[in-house]
Amino acid sequence: MKQQPDWLFCRVVRSETEMVGFLCGRRDKVVSLGPMYLLNEAQGQGVGGRLMSEFLAWAGSTPMRLWVTDYNEWAVRFYERYGFKATGERELSRGKLPNTRMTRDSPSGCSGQGERP
């Protein structure tokens, strides 16, 4: 019997008292990343980088895509450190949030280590 790949990815990070972040994704012809979220106090602590490293290991060499809110410059820079590039494609999420598509064609050797996750 042929083993099927894992189709869904989801990791949750908790502090002693609460959930501080999560990252989910799914596999099809491409891997879709999202949603990803970190509480403000968890940002800059390495949590996002650890989540992204696990996600990239799970995704392997499959092309990846995501949507990011245009004005979330921190998130855009974070994804760029991991090799994602804006495509110019845009959409309104929930009819009001301007989002930009980002893709990552293949591993670029970009680890993001030493950067603010």
Side-chain angles (χ1 to χ4, degrees):
M1 182 171 165
K2 183 178 177 184
Q3 182 150 10
Q4 297 294 318
D6 293 332
W7 297 109
L8 299 173
F9 176 96
C10 195
R11 299 291 184 274
V12 174
V13 179
R14 294 182 53 86
S15 71
E16 291 181 19
T17 58
E18 66 183 341
M19 181 176 73
V20 297
F22 62 86
L23 188 156
C24 296
R26 73 176 184 278
R27 184 185 314 270
D28 199 355
K29 293 178 183 173
V30 299
V31 169
S32 296
L33 186 158
M36 180 177 186
Y37 180 78
L38 293 175
L39 291 177
N40 287 338
E41 59 265 25
Q43 295 177 13
Q45 305 298 313
V47 175
R50 287 191 299 274
L51 286 170
M52 184 61 82
S53 293
E54 283 189 43
F55 179 79
L56 294 176
W58 170 81
S61 61
T62 306
M64 294 171 237
R65 65 183 180 192
L66 60 88
W67 288 103
V68 63
T69 304
D70 286 352
Y71 55 79
N72 190 342
E73 295 174 13
W74 178 88
V76 171
R77 286 191 309 272
F78 175 81
Y79 294 129
E80 287 173 343
R81 284 196 299 269
Y82 288 91
F84 287 87
K85 296 186 182 343
T87 65
E89 185 181 355
R90 297 187 182 291
E91 75 165 14
L92 280 180
S93 175
R94 297 183 197 131
K96 58 186 172 187
L97 290 175
N99 287 336
T100 297
R101 168 76 76 194
M102 296 183 82
T103 60
R104 183 176 190 257
D105 291 330
S106 63
S108 63
C110 188
S111 70
Q113 293 176 332
E115 304 283 343
R116 181 180 173 203

